[in-house]
Amino acid sequence: MNFSQFDQAEIALHSNTRAESGQPYAAHLDDILNRADCATARHVIEGWNGYRPTPLHTLNGLADDLGLAALYYKDEGSRFGLGSFKALGGAYAVLRLLAREIPKLTGQPASDADISAGKYAEFIKGLTVITATDGNHGRSVAWGARQFGCPCKIYMHAGVSKARRKAVADLGAEVVGIDGSYDESVHAAAADAAANGWFIVSDTSYEGYMDLPRHVMAGYTVMTSEIMEQFPDRKPPSHVFVQGGVGGLAGAVCGHFWQAYGADRPRFVIVEPDRAACLYQSALHGRPTVVTVSEETIMAGLSCGEVSLLGWDILSPGTDDFMTITDDLIAPTMRRLAAGEADPVVVAGESAVAGLAGLIAARRSPTLSAVLGLDTSSTVLVIGTEGATDPAIYETIVGHPPTAVAA
């Protein structure tokens, strides 16, 4: 791999003085993410048709190139045929919503098994779920709504590609187009839900909306449970690089690893596009901070200007470092994974590789490597959050269609 582009990269790094390094998982964080909820999510999701653990690739060739002891890539591109880790969160939250609302209509508790079997189909038809999305979360909610039989509306902002809109519509959801940014689509969906008695199933949390995003995050920990079982000797990595977005995924990964490994948890590094760095700015200011997304990033799933409050409550003490990268690092990272070289070939979408791109750029800088504690003894985990969720965009960037790369 030619690293010249990374050698010239514009990287911003903020080391978090509020990080509770070397400390156990704080008891008050159990209100957001706890072992029981994580275990329940895994038990339920493992029972769904099509469930299988996604692969954890060992990238020995790239690790050698970067001077690392080991590099692991969790590949979520095959998750439930939906192409991303989001399949674990949105659909599971739809189920949790139905289990909460059906007893209000029937006067009886509703088990997950009975909901899935269609016992409450007539009641479920009257419960409309709605969310705003950059693509992958909406696809998961639409898939869950189809599985359980409820009407679904997905709000998508102007920057979402036609292919990602079609993928949602093909699952039976009504796609509602919104001018403006992702955050404006979130506000529009919330307003319409309140006006019509619909139920928001969001992957971001805000004042007055906390319950279902907890379940979304618990669903994501099915992935981290798999990772912990797939690691050689089940030992934790020294570092985890994960992309930001609103912080729901990052909060789930950070929180679950922190629960499992306590004071020995990995060093946790969040990587965001510099055009949508709400977590980085929140870290600088010491509180949730809104940023204006004036230009869309190529990392479409990370184009978020407002943090999830629940995610932030975990990330503020749990993240060791916050990093931003520029869009020009994404294409060479995708192409390196597609080429395989000495490693397994990986089909990775634009948002999937942000953490890996940040790691490569950091490792190419002696200064950043020293600050982050990266050296030849480091074992690093990155989360490949999606496959080619827009095949046309993928082909434009990589030069080959994803089917040809996978073959």
Side-chain angles (χ1 to χ4, degrees):
M1 180 177 184
N2 185 345
F3 290 109
S4 59
Q5 205 156 357
F6 292 86
D7 293 340
Q8 306 300 319
E10 295 181 15
I11 303 296
L13 181 69
H14 173 71
S15 293
N16 183 19
T17 58
R18 299 175 183 84
E20 297 177 7
S21 303
Q23 301 296 318
Y25 189 67
H28 70 88
L29 296 179
D30 277 342
D31 292 337
I32 302 171
L33 191 71
N34 59 68
R35 293 176 184 272
D37 287 344
C38 295
T40 298
R42 181 160 192 187
H43 173 73
V44 171
I45 292 172
E46 281 183 333
W48 290 353
N49 289 334
Y51 170 78
R52 68 176 66 88
T54 55
L56 181 71
H57 299 302
T58 303
L59 304 182
N60 290 327
L62 189 51
D64 288 344
D65 290 345
L66 296 176
L68 299 169
L71 175 58
Y72 301 96
Y73 182 99
K74 181 63 167 173
D75 184 1
E76 287 293 296
S78 61
R79 184 70 74 178
F80 283 115
L82 298 183
S84 89
F85 79 100
K86 293 279 189 178
L88 297 169
Y92 180 65
V94 170
L95 179 60
R96 295 273 61 81
L97 166 72
L98 297 177
R100 184 187 77 191
E101 294 300 319
I102 290 171
K104 298 177 184 178
L105 301 173
T106 65
Q108 300 176 352
S111 71
D112 293 345
D114 284 344
I115 293 171
S116 298
K119 180 177 179 179
Y120 303 101
E122 290 304 313
F123 296 100
I124 291 173
K125 287 178 182 177
L127 302 174
T128 298
V129 295
I130 175 176
T131 196
T133 184
D134 284 311
N136 290 335
H137 174 69
R139 198 170 176 182
S140 178
V141 171
W143 180 63
R146 187 178 70 173
Q147 283 198 117
F148 306 122
C150 53
C152 179
K153 297 178 183 291
I154 305 295
Y155 283 45
M156 306 184 89
H157 64 88
V160 178
S161 71
K162 290 181 179 179
R164 292 189 172 109
R165 292 170 185 256
K166 183 178 183 300
V168 168
D170 286 347
L171 290 168
E174 177 186 347
V175 176
V176 180
I178 298 295
D179 292 333
S181 68
Y182 165 76
D183 299 296
E184 288 170 310
S185 69
V186 170
H187 298 312
D192 287 355
N196 293 283
W198 301 331
F199 295 92
I200 298 174
V201 181
S202 178
D203 58 348
T204 190
S205 57
Y206 42 87
E207 291 294 340
Y209 184 77
M210 299 287 184
D211 180 48
L212 290 179
R214 289 188 178 92
H215 294 300
V216 171
M217 292 172 69
Y220 294 161
T221 66
V222 172
M223 177 185 68
T224 45
S225 295
E226 293 172 0
I227 291 170
M228 286 185 265
E229 293 170 357
Q230 291 168 325
F231 255 93
D233 300 323
R234 298 199 177 187
K235 292 181 179 179
S238 62
H239 296 70
V240 176
F241 280 67
V242 67
Q243 36 274 36
V246 298
L249 165 69
V253 175
C254 177
H256 204 207
F257 274 118
W258 200 355
Q259 287 174 22
Y261 300 120
D264 296 324
R265 67 176 175 86
R267 183 166 188 149
F268 199 75
V269 185
I270 287 181
V271 183
E272 294 176 283
D274 60 353
R275 297 176 182 178
C278 58
L279 294 169
Y280 179 89
Q281 290 297 326
S282 296
L284 289 181
H285 292 90
R287 64 182 183 280
T289 300
V290 177
V291 301
T292 300
V293 179
S294 57
E295 184 179 4
E296 291 294 332
T297 170
I298 191 175
M299 296 165 267
L302 309 182
S303 186
C304 310
E306 299 182 31
V307 303
S308 170
L309 297 184
L310 292 175
W312 177 250
D313 284 346
I314 292 176
L315 295 173
S316 179
T319 304
D320 298 282
D321 308 277
F322 294 83
M323 176 187 293
T324 70
I325 61 172
T326 52
D327 277 16
D328 60 337
L329 301 186
I330 297 305
T333 307
M334 291 171 63
R335 288 194 285 264
R336 170 60 177 80
L337 290 173
E341 298 183 11
D343 295 319
V345 169
V346 178
V347 174
E350 313 92 273
S351 298
V353 301
L356 178 56
L359 168 65
I360 295 171
R363 197 68 187 107
R364 297 297 295 174
S365 165
T367 300
L368 292 179
S369 288
V371 172
L372 294 170
L374 289 167
D375 56 32
T376 55
S377 68
S378 300
T379 59
V380 183
L381 167 70
V382 296
I383 310 291
T385 47
E386 65 174 9
T389 53
D390 188 317
I393 291 176
Y394 181 89
E395 183 174 358
T396 299
I397 294 172
V398 173
H400 303 283
T403 50
V405 172

